[in-house]
Every structure is written in C-alpha cells, then in structure tokens.
DNA sequence: AAAAGATTGTTGTTGACGACAACAATTGAT
DNA sequence: ATCAATTGTTGTCGTCAACAACAATCTTTT
C-alpha cells in the first residue's frame, strides 16, 4: 500500500500529460498567504475549550522541556508532590485527589518506584492498600523538581503576564 | 499473572493468621476522611498547568457528552468549523492553523469523509494538495453541531461564571 | 460465624492524541 | 535537467483517559 492517493490522484495521473504550466504566481502566492495566518476560526473563537486546549499543549511542552534534564513529566510531578505533602496516602486517595484513574496510577508508581523516588509500604490498617511515601532520595529529588517547576511557571508568567496567570489560577480554583 | 501483589502481599499473607481485629473505627473513619477532601496539593496549587489540565478534562468531557447524540469530538468539530469558514483550504493549512499534525489530520478527514461531511477535492492549482470542502450534508450538520457546541459553552459559563469565561478567553487569545 | 456486597490494587484492552520518521508524487528553484 | 522543498500518506511509539475484569481483602448483613 505504498500508493499515495485513493481516487483523484490516479485519475489526474492519466490526464497529466495534457497539463499546461498554469499561472504559478497565483498559486504560490495565494497558497502561502492562506497557509500563513489569515484563516478565520469562526465559532472556535468563542469556545473556551479550544483556547484551553492550545494553552495546555503549550504548557505541557514547556514543562516537559524545562524538566527534561530530570526526566519528569507533569503527571509524575503531581503524584510526587501530593505524596510528599501527604505521606501515607493510599493509591486510591491519590488517584481521587488528582483526578487520575487508579489503573493509570499503578504504572506511574511503578516507574517512580523503579527510580527509587517513591515506596509502597503495606498499610498497617488495611492489607489491601499501600501507604505511599517518598524515599529519602525522592525527597531531595522533589525539591529539585519544584525548583525547575517554578522556573517553568515563570515561563508561563512571561507568556501571558503574571497578573493574567494569577487571575487564571483564581478562576480555575474550583477544579483543583 | 493473576497474582495481585509483587512483594508485600505475599509476606503479609504468612502473618495473616496472627492478625487481630484492630480498631476498625479509626481505620474506616480516618481512611474515608482522607479519601474525602482534606488532602493538600502543596506546590500544585500555584501551578497553572495543573489547574488547566483539570479544567480541560472537564471541558472535553462535557463537550463529548453534549455532542454525544451527533457523535462528534472536539477535534472533529474544530476541523469542520475551520473548513466551513475557509472552503478550499489544503490539509497542510488546516493542520497548521489548528496546531495538529498533518499525519493526524489524515485520519480525522478519513472519518469525516466517510460520514459524508467533508470532501477532498483535488486542487486545481497544485496536484499534490486537496481542497477541503464541506458537503451539503456537512454544512447542515455543522449548523447543528454549532448549536450543541453553544449549549456546551453555556455549561462552561454556568461552571465558572460567564464573566470569568470571557476573561479567560481574553487571556488566552494569544494561543488561538 | 457465614454469606453477600463493597473497596483496593492490578492487568488488560480500546481509542484519542501528539511526536517522529519514512515515503511517493509533485512542485519550485538552480 | 537536476536537486531541494512541500504535500499527503503510512507507520510506529509513547502518553493518556475510559472500561472491564479479577484476586485479595474489608465491611455489612443476616
């Protein structure tokens, strides 16, 4: 299936011999102008979801880039932060608090445990659950992650302005 | 591999016979209270990315739910909206404008073309590219999608307040 | 105390999505 | 005529949300 076109290209191919060298100027100009930035978004302009999606994409990319040296992704950072602030939490509690599935948390903790940042200690009161703790290595690591995350947050402030950043945080407190 | 625990559970199993019926009250109460909502987020509170992630998740879920009857997802809606507002655009132009990869757009257009909402018309000026258009069925469908999307937007306004919603849109215009 | 129901961690699958890398066809520039 | 760039396409990889099932364990009911 290395063919490129389903329908039109083949048909066009047969007529290719007849093609004349058209008005290139109109093509290259109109095309690149259109590909530039005069394309209307219509109803998308009024949708918060679209703006938020683009923003979140930008934020995640900057976060990943800023913490690339320590190889920590946003979700991993959020898990370690919550465990650090609330030692002994169960996986269920962490998942609920962060709005991630407990199935997903399993793999996240697996990776964090492999790197010796987090340890699952069998709960003393419930043999089903684990008490989550940062290792000593995890604690010092998290301190560095927080410094880098603060740097990332400064990037956000530079991008949208710090007063807008704070306003945004305030608007969205009901989701955190 | 139906075993449940890697390490701790097995070891705990041997000592299971000795266990006493501990203070259940402390367990069930403390545990469910913790699982409730007194878990601190620590540094996460100050991170716009975390708030935005939670918000975006909420928005997407509401969008999908509100447009479930027509089976249209946010990305599909954005593609149809842009094509509807700018007929004849190439795939490259749409991808660039919406910040999605052209590789991804291929599948999106495949599904929209299968449902007869969009058609790829061979460009008259560039035999590599397609001119994207809404079909007549796609135009009437998009009109309905826009009504449903407006309803979704009202849900957002109810959730965070309309003045906050507009403030948010204004803050994030640089990303759209 | 035994049975029934709920919870916790785990495994697996599905699908949307972003990022990359290749590729053929075509275009544009040299 | 040749070579670099563009366009649509295919494929792979990894992240992520959503479900569904399951064993072990706890809780509640009887």
């Amino acid at each position: 299936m290395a063919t490129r076109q389903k329908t039109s290209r083949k048909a066009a191919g047969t007529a290719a011999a007849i093609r004349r060298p058209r008005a290139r100027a109109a093509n290259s100009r109109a095309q690149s102008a259109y590909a530039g930035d005069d394309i209307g978004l219509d109803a998308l302009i009024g949708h918060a979801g679209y703006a938020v999606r683009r923003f979140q994409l930008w934020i995640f990319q900057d976060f990943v880039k800023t913490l690339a040296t320590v190889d920590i992704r946003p979700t991993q950072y959020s898990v370690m932060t919550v465990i650090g602030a609330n030692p002994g939490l169960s996986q269920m509690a962490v998942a609920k608090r962060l709005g991630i599935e407990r199935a997903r948390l399993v793999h996240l903790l697996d990776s964090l445990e492999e790197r010796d940042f987090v340890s699952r200690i069998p709960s003393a009161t419930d043999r089903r659950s684990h008490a989550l703790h940062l290792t000593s290595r995890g604690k010092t690591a998290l301190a560095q992650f927080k410094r880098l995350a603060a740097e990332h947050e400064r990037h956000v402030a530079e991008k949208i302005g710090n007063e807008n950043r704070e306003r945004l945080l305030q608007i969205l407190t009901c989701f955190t």
Side-chain angles (χ1 to χ4, degrees), chain A residues 14 74 81 141 160:
Chain A
T14 68
T81 301
I160 65 176

Side-chain angles (χ1 to χ4, degrees), chain A residues 91-92 95-96 98-108:
Chain A
Q91 296 186 195
M92 193 59 202
K96 229 183 243 170
L98 289 178
I100 61 188
E101 290 207 17
R102 58 192 207 283
R104 169 139 182 64
L105 192 56
V106 172
H107 301 295
L108 284 169

Side-chain angles (χ1 to χ4, degrees), chain A residues 96-152:
Chain A
K96 229 183 243 170
R97 187 63 185 89
L98 289 178
I100 61 188
E101 290 207 17
R102 58 192 207 283
R104 169 139 182 64
L105 192 56
V106 172
H107 301 295
L108 284 169
L109 289 175
D110 283 351
S111 75
L112 292 177
E113 212 171 17
E114 273 174 21
R115 296 169 67 179
D116 193 27
F117 289 154
V118 171
S119 68
R120 291 188 248 222
I121 300 177
S123 164
T125 59
D126 187 337
R127 286 167 57 226
R128 290 170 305 180
S129 68
H130 297 151
L132 301 175
H133 292 272
L134 294 185
T135 64
S136 55
R137 187 160 175 270
K139 285 175 190 166
T140 64
L142 179 57
Q144 186 192 3
F145 301 165
K146 284 184 179 175
R147 283 193 295 274
L148 290 170
E151 184 184 332
H152 152 72

Side-chain angles (χ1 to χ4, degrees), chain A residues 36-102:
Chain A
D37 48 0
D38 59 337
I39 302 180
L41 282 179
D42 196 53
L44 247 42
I45 292 289
H47 285 300
Y50 176 69
V52 168
R53 170 183 161 265
R54 300 294 301 257
F55 183 45
Q56 207 240 7
L57 208 51
W58 185 91
I59 282 202
F60 262 56
Q61 285 169 346
D62 184 86
F63 187 100
V64 171
K65 198 186 307 172
T66 307
L67 278 84
T69 55
V70 292
D71 190 28
I72 284 289
R73 297 183 51 84
T75 317
Q76 297 174 314
Y77 174 73
S78 70
V79 169
M80 285 190 65
T81 301
V82 165
I83 295 178
N86 314 82
L89 241 46
S90 71
Q91 296 186 195
M92 193 59 202
V94 171
K96 229 183 243 170
R97 187 63 185 89
L98 289 178
I100 61 188
E101 290 207 17
R102 58 192 207 283

